[in-house]
Amino acid sequence: MNLGIASDHAGLELKSKILEFLKEFIPSAKVIDYGMKGDYEVSDYPDYSKVLAKDISSHRIERGILICGTGIGMAIVANKFPKVQAVVVGDEYTAKMSRSHNDSNVICLGARVTHWERAIEFVKIWLNTPFEKGRHQNRIDKIRTIELGIHA
Ligand code: RB5
Protein backbone atom coordinates (compact mmCIF):
# COMPACT_ATOMS: atom_id res chain seq x y z
CA MET A 1 0.00 0.00 0.00
CA ASN A 2 1.20 3.52 -0.84
CA LEU A 3 0.58 5.86 2.06
CA GLY A 4 1.17 9.53 2.76
CA ILE A 5 1.42 11.33 6.08
CA ALA A 6 1.67 15.00 6.99
CA SER A 7 1.25 17.29 9.97
CA ASP A 8 1.58 20.87 11.07
CA HIS A 9 3.52 21.86 14.23
CA ALA A 10 0.66 20.69 16.48
CA GLY A 11 0.77 17.20 14.99
CA LEU A 12 4.51 16.76 14.58
CA GLU A 13 5.09 14.53 17.60
CA LEU A 14 2.13 12.29 16.81
CA LYS A 15 3.31 12.05 13.20
CA SER A 16 6.66 10.60 14.39
CA LYS A 17 4.86 8.06 16.56
CA ILE A 18 2.58 7.00 13.71
CA LEU A 19 5.56 6.69 11.36
CA GLU A 20 7.25 4.35 13.86
CA PHE A 21 4.05 2.33 14.14
CA LEU A 22 3.72 2.04 10.35
CA LYS A 23 7.32 0.83 10.00
CA GLU A 24 6.74 -1.88 12.56
CA PHE A 25 3.24 -3.03 11.62
CA ILE A 26 3.18 -2.64 7.82
CA PRO A 27 6.84 -2.88 6.83
CA SER A 28 5.84 -3.45 3.20
CA ALA A 29 4.01 -0.09 2.98
CA LYS A 30 5.61 2.74 1.03
CA VAL A 31 5.15 5.85 3.14
CA ILE A 32 5.74 9.38 1.86
CA ASP A 33 6.31 11.98 4.58
CA TYR A 34 4.97 15.29 3.27
CA GLY A 35 6.22 17.26 6.28
CA MET A 36 6.38 19.29 8.26
CA LYS A 37 9.91 18.18 8.82
CA GLY A 38 11.74 20.93 10.67
CA ASP A 39 11.03 21.97 14.20
CA TYR A 40 9.41 25.25 13.22
CA GLU A 41 7.47 26.93 15.96
CA VAL A 42 4.41 27.57 13.82
CA SER A 43 3.33 26.21 10.46
CA ASP A 44 0.14 26.45 8.41
CA TYR A 45 -1.87 23.25 8.00
CA PRO A 46 -3.13 24.07 4.46
CA ASP A 47 0.46 23.86 3.16
CA TYR A 48 0.77 20.24 4.26
CA SER A 49 -2.76 19.04 3.65
CA LYS A 50 -2.84 20.26 0.06
CA VAL A 51 0.28 18.41 -1.11
CA LEU A 52 -0.94 15.12 0.30
CA ALA A 53 -4.51 15.59 -0.97
CA LYS A 54 -3.22 16.42 -4.46
CA ASP A 55 -1.45 13.07 -4.52
CA ILE A 56 -4.60 11.23 -3.42
CA SER A 57 -6.50 12.94 -6.23
CA SER A 58 -3.91 11.90 -8.81
CA HIS A 59 -3.69 8.33 -7.37
CA ARG A 60 0.00 8.66 -6.53
CA ILE A 61 -0.91 7.44 -3.06
CA GLU A 62 -3.90 5.37 -1.95
CA ARG A 63 -4.37 6.59 1.60
CA GLY A 64 -3.30 9.56 3.67
CA ILE A 65 -2.92 10.41 7.35
CA LEU A 66 -3.14 14.10 8.31
CA ILE A 67 -2.52 15.44 11.79
CA CYS A 68 -3.04 18.89 13.28
CA GLY A 69 -4.35 20.12 16.62
CA THR A 70 -7.91 18.90 16.05
CA GLY A 71 -7.78 17.28 12.60
CA ILE A 72 -10.38 19.79 11.44
CA GLY A 73 -8.24 22.20 9.42
CA MET A 74 -6.50 19.36 7.62
CA ALA A 75 -9.86 17.82 6.65
CA ILE A 76 -11.33 21.11 5.42
CA VAL A 77 -8.39 21.58 3.06
CA ALA A 78 -8.13 17.96 1.88
CA ASN A 79 -11.83 17.80 0.98
CA LYS A 80 -11.37 20.63 -1.53
CA PHE A 81 -9.64 18.12 -3.79
CA PRO A 82 -11.54 15.75 -6.10
CA LYS A 83 -11.73 12.10 -5.09
CA VAL A 84 -10.70 12.86 -1.52
CA GLN A 85 -12.87 11.61 1.32
CA ALA A 86 -11.11 13.08 4.35
CA VAL A 87 -12.62 12.39 7.76
CA VAL A 88 -11.88 13.62 11.25
CA VAL A 89 -11.74 10.57 13.49
CA GLY A 90 -12.07 10.73 17.26
CA ASP A 91 -13.35 7.26 18.16
CA GLU A 92 -13.03 3.63 17.07
CA TYR A 93 -16.53 3.38 15.61
CA THR A 94 -16.02 6.39 13.35
CA ALA A 95 -12.63 5.04 12.26
CA LYS A 96 -14.36 1.83 11.13
CA MET A 97 -17.49 3.34 9.58
CA SER A 98 -15.57 5.99 7.67
CA ARG A 99 -14.00 3.11 5.77
CA SER A 100 -16.86 0.64 5.45
CA HIS A 101 -19.55 3.17 4.48
CA ASN A 102 -17.69 6.27 3.28
CA ASP A 103 -14.59 4.79 1.63
CA SER A 104 -12.50 7.44 3.35
CA ASN A 105 -9.03 7.70 1.89
CA VAL A 106 -7.69 10.30 4.29
CA ILE A 107 -7.87 10.09 8.08
CA CYS A 108 -7.45 13.35 10.00
CA LEU A 109 -6.36 13.17 13.62
CA GLY A 110 -6.25 15.76 16.38
CA ALA A 111 -3.05 15.56 18.37
CA ARG A 112 -4.41 17.99 20.97
CA VAL A 113 -7.60 16.05 21.56
CA THR A 114 -6.58 12.40 21.15
CA HIS A 115 -3.96 10.48 23.14
CA TRP A 116 -1.29 9.08 20.83
CA GLU A 117 -1.97 5.44 21.73
CA ARG A 118 -5.62 5.86 20.83
CA ALA A 119 -4.74 7.69 17.62
CA ILE A 120 -2.60 4.72 16.59
CA GLU A 121 -5.52 2.41 17.37
CA PHE A 122 -7.74 4.52 15.07
CA VAL A 123 -5.14 4.27 12.29
CA LYS A 124 -4.94 0.50 12.76
CA ILE A 125 -8.72 0.08 12.49
CA TRP A 126 -8.92 2.49 9.55
CA LEU A 127 -6.19 0.68 7.63
CA ASN A 128 -7.71 -2.74 8.26
CA THR A 129 -11.34 -1.97 7.39
CA PRO A 130 -12.46 -2.55 3.79
CA PHE A 131 -15.05 -0.47 1.94
CA GLU A 132 -18.37 -2.36 1.75
CA LYS A 133 -19.26 -1.06 -1.74
CA GLY A 134 -22.84 -1.97 -2.85
CA ARG A 135 -25.28 0.79 -1.92
CA HIS A 136 -22.42 2.76 -0.41
CA GLN A 137 -20.68 2.85 -3.80
CA ASN A 138 -23.78 4.57 -5.27
CA ARG A 139 -23.38 7.29 -2.68
CA ILE A 140 -19.71 7.78 -3.46
CA ASP A 141 -20.65 7.97 -7.17
CA LYS A 142 -23.05 10.79 -6.28
CA ILE A 143 -20.21 12.64 -4.56
CA ARG A 144 -18.18 12.31 -7.78
CA THR A 145 -20.99 13.94 -9.79
CA ILE A 146 -21.15 16.79 -7.27
CA GLU A 147 -17.41 17.31 -7.74
CA LEU A 148 -17.98 17.50 -11.49
CA GLY A 149 -20.81 20.01 -11.04
CA ILE A 150 -23.26 17.78 -12.87
CA HIS A 151 -25.64 17.15 -9.98
CA ALA A 152 -29.25 18.25 -10.29
C1 RB5 B 1 -2.75 25.26 15.20
O1 RB5 B 1 -2.68 26.04 16.34
C2 RB5 B 1 -4.15 24.66 15.02
O2 RB5 B 1 -5.04 25.67 14.71
C3 RB5 B 1 -4.13 23.60 13.96
O3 RB5 B 1 -3.21 22.61 14.31
C4 RB5 B 1 -5.43 22.83 13.72
O4 RB5 B 1 -5.96 22.35 14.89
C5 RB5 B 1 -6.42 23.46 12.86
O5 RB5 B 1 -7.47 22.87 12.53
Side-chain angles (χ1 to χ4, degrees):
M1 184 184 283
N2 287 343
L3 290 173
I5 189 166
S7 78
D8 68 356
H9 56 284
L12 191 56
E13 217 178 299
L14 179 55
K15 176 163 74 82
S16 306
K17 288 194 157 80
I18 293 177
L19 276 168
E20 277 170 34
F21 156 76
L22 292 173
K23 249 188 234 160
E24 199 180 323
F25 285 90
I26 331 174
S28 61
K30 284 187 194 151
V31 185
I32 300 176
D33 183 353
Y34 291 87
M36 59 177 281
K37 294 211 171 116
D39 203 359
Y40 311 111
E41 216 163 89
V42 176
S43 62
D44 299 327
Y45 59 82
D47 298 338
Y48 302 98
S49 185
K50 75 174 179 198
V51 283
L52 184 148
K54 231 188 247 178
D55 279 356
I56 292 276
S57 264
S58 69
H59 302 292
R60 182 178 181 214
I61 54 171
E62 289 161 67
R63 303 264 206 105
I65 301 165
L66 290 171
I67 312 146
C68 61
T70 58
I72 295 170
M74 288 294 197
I76 291 171
V77 174
N79 281 315
K80 303 279 179 207
F81 289 79
K83 292 180 256 173
V84 171
Q85 278 98 246
V87 288
V88 180
V89 164
D91 60 78
E92 289 77 2
Y93 182 73
T94 311
K96 190 173 155 64
M97 296 311 285
S98 76
R99 283 291 311 138
S100 55
H101 283 195
N102 308 109
D103 197 20
S104 67
N105 46 19
V106 177
I107 185 171
C108 302
L109 300 165
R112 290 178 179 160
V113 291
T114 303
H115 187 274
W116 68 268
E117 283 174 326
R118 209 145 170 240
I120 285 176
E121 196 51 39
F122 300 161
V123 171
K124 224 188 263 181
I125 293 167
W126 181 78
L127 286 171
N128 286 334
T129 306
F131 177 44
E132 276 178 26
K133 299 188 181 164
R135 68 182 194 279
H136 303 294
Q137 182 62 56
N138 298 341
R139 293 157 188 171
I140 299 297
D141 294 344
K142 288 187 179 187
I143 297 174
R144 295 286 91 83
T145 67
I146 292 167
E147 285 170 354
L148 293 169
I150 54 175
H151 57 286

Short mmCIF file of all heavy atoms in Angstrom, two decimals, residues 8-11 42-43 45 67-76 110 112, ligand 1:
data_model
loop_
_atom_site.label_atom_id
_atom_site.label_comp_id
_atom_site.label_asym_id
_atom_site.label_seq_id
_atom_site.Cartn_x
_atom_site.Cartn_y
_atom_site.Cartn_z
N ASP A 8 1.04 19.54 10.78
CA ASP A 8 1.58 20.87 11.07
C ASP A 8 2.35 20.76 12.38
O ASP A 8 2.60 19.64 12.87
CB ASP A 8 0.45 21.93 11.11
CG ASP A 8 -0.50 21.76 12.29
OD1 ASP A 8 -0.35 20.77 13.06
OD2 ASP A 8 -1.40 22.59 12.46
N HIS A 9 2.73 21.89 12.99
CA HIS A 9 3.52 21.86 14.23
C HIS A 9 2.78 21.14 15.36
O HIS A 9 3.38 20.43 16.15
CB HIS A 9 3.90 23.28 14.65
CG HIS A 9 2.70 24.17 14.82
ND1 HIS A 9 2.02 24.70 13.74
CD2 HIS A 9 2.04 24.60 15.93
CE1 HIS A 9 1.01 25.43 14.18
NE2 HIS A 9 0.99 25.38 15.51
N ALA A 10 1.44 21.30 15.40
CA ALA A 10 0.66 20.69 16.48
C ALA A 10 0.66 19.16 16.39
O ALA A 10 0.48 18.47 17.39
CB ALA A 10 -0.77 21.22 16.47
N GLY A 11 0.85 18.65 15.18
CA GLY A 11 0.77 17.20 14.99
C GLY A 11 2.11 16.51 14.80
O GLY A 11 2.16 15.29 14.59
N VAL A 42 5.77 27.52 14.34
CA VAL A 42 4.41 27.57 13.82
C VAL A 42 4.43 27.26 12.33
O VAL A 42 5.33 27.68 11.62
CB VAL A 42 3.78 28.97 14.05
CG1 VAL A 42 2.41 29.06 13.42
CG2 VAL A 42 3.69 29.28 15.53
N SER A 43 3.45 26.49 11.89
CA SER A 43 3.33 26.21 10.46
C SER A 43 1.85 26.29 10.11
O SER A 43 1.00 26.32 11.00
CB SER A 43 3.86 24.80 10.18
OG SER A 43 3.07 23.87 10.88
N TYR A 45 -1.38 24.57 8.43
CA TYR A 45 -1.87 23.25 8.00
C TYR A 45 -2.26 23.16 6.52
O TYR A 45 -2.05 22.11 5.91
CB TYR A 45 -3.01 22.75 8.91
CG TYR A 45 -4.22 23.65 8.99
CD1 TYR A 45 -5.20 23.60 8.02
CD2 TYR A 45 -4.37 24.55 10.04
CE1 TYR A 45 -6.30 24.43 8.07
CE2 TYR A 45 -5.47 25.39 10.10
CZ TYR A 45 -6.43 25.33 9.11
OH TYR A 45 -7.52 26.16 9.16
N ILE A 67 -2.42 15.16 10.36
CA ILE A 67 -2.52 15.44 11.79
C ILE A 67 -2.31 16.93 12.04
O ILE A 67 -1.32 17.51 11.59
CB ILE A 67 -1.46 14.65 12.59
CG1 ILE A 67 -1.45 13.18 12.17
CG2 ILE A 67 -1.70 14.78 14.08
CD1 ILE A 67 -0.07 12.56 12.22
N CYS A 68 -3.24 17.52 12.78
CA CYS A 68 -3.04 18.89 13.28
C CYS A 68 -3.56 18.90 14.72
O CYS A 68 -3.63 17.85 15.35
CB CYS A 68 -3.70 19.92 12.38
SG CYS A 68 -5.48 19.78 12.20
N GLY A 69 -3.90 20.07 15.24
CA GLY A 69 -4.35 20.12 16.62
C GLY A 69 -5.65 19.35 16.83
O GLY A 69 -5.79 18.58 17.78
N THR A 70 -6.60 19.55 15.93
CA THR A 70 -7.91 18.90 16.05
C THR A 70 -8.22 17.94 14.90
O THR A 70 -9.19 17.18 14.98
CB THR A 70 -9.02 19.97 16.02
OG1 THR A 70 -8.89 20.70 14.79
CG2 THR A 70 -8.92 20.93 17.19
N GLY A 71 -7.47 18.04 13.83
CA GLY A 71 -7.78 17.28 12.60
C GLY A 71 -8.69 18.06 11.66
O GLY A 71 -8.81 17.74 10.47
N ILE A 72 -9.33 19.09 12.20
CA ILE A 72 -10.38 19.79 11.44
C ILE A 72 -9.82 20.59 10.25
O ILE A 72 -10.29 20.46 9.12
CB ILE A 72 -11.19 20.73 12.37
CG1 ILE A 72 -11.95 19.89 13.41
CG2 ILE A 72 -12.15 21.60 11.57
CD1 ILE A 72 -12.58 20.72 14.53
N GLY A 73 -8.80 21.38 10.50
CA GLY A 73 -8.24 22.20 9.42
C GLY A 73 -7.72 21.34 8.28
O GLY A 73 -7.96 21.64 7.09
N MET A 74 -7.05 20.27 8.63
CA MET A 74 -6.50 19.36 7.62
C MET A 74 -7.63 18.79 6.75
O MET A 74 -7.51 18.70 5.53
CB MET A 74 -5.75 18.20 8.29
CG MET A 74 -4.43 18.59 8.93
SD MET A 74 -3.25 19.09 7.67
CE MET A 74 -1.70 18.98 8.58
N ALA A 75 -8.74 18.41 7.38
CA ALA A 75 -9.86 17.82 6.65
C ALA A 75 -10.53 18.84 5.74
O ALA A 75 -10.88 18.54 4.60
CB ALA A 75 -10.88 17.24 7.63
N ILE A 76 -10.70 20.06 6.24
CA ILE A 76 -11.33 21.11 5.42
C ILE A 76 -10.55 21.30 4.13
O ILE A 76 -11.12 21.35 3.04
CB ILE A 76 -11.43 22.44 6.22
CG1 ILE A 76 -12.44 22.31 7.36
CG2 ILE A 76 -11.81 23.60 5.29
CD1 ILE A 76 -12.44 23.49 8.33
N GLY A 110 -6.52 14.58 15.56
CA GLY A 110 -6.25 15.76 16.38
C GLY A 110 -5.30 15.43 17.51
O GLY A 110 -5.68 14.77 18.48
N ARG A 112 -4.12 17.30 19.70
CA ARG A 112 -4.41 17.99 20.97
C ARG A 112 -5.66 17.45 21.65
O ARG A 112 -5.99 17.86 22.76
CB ARG A 112 -4.59 19.50 20.71
CG ARG A 112 -3.29 20.19 20.35
CD ARG A 112 -3.50 21.65 20.05
NE ARG A 112 -2.23 22.30 19.72
CZ ARG A 112 -2.12 23.43 19.07
NH1 ARG A 112 -3.20 24.08 18.66
NH2 ARG A 112 -0.93 23.95 18.82
C1 RB5 B 1 -2.75 25.26 15.20
O1 RB5 B 1 -2.68 26.04 16.34
C2 RB5 B 1 -4.15 24.66 15.02
O2 RB5 B 1 -5.04 25.67 14.71
C3 RB5 B 1 -4.13 23.60 13.96
O3 RB5 B 1 -3.21 22.61 14.31
C4 RB5 B 1 -5.43 22.83 13.72
O4 RB5 B 1 -5.96 22.35 14.89
C5 RB5 B 1 -6.42 23.46 12.86
O5 RB5 B 1 -7.47 22.87 12.53
#
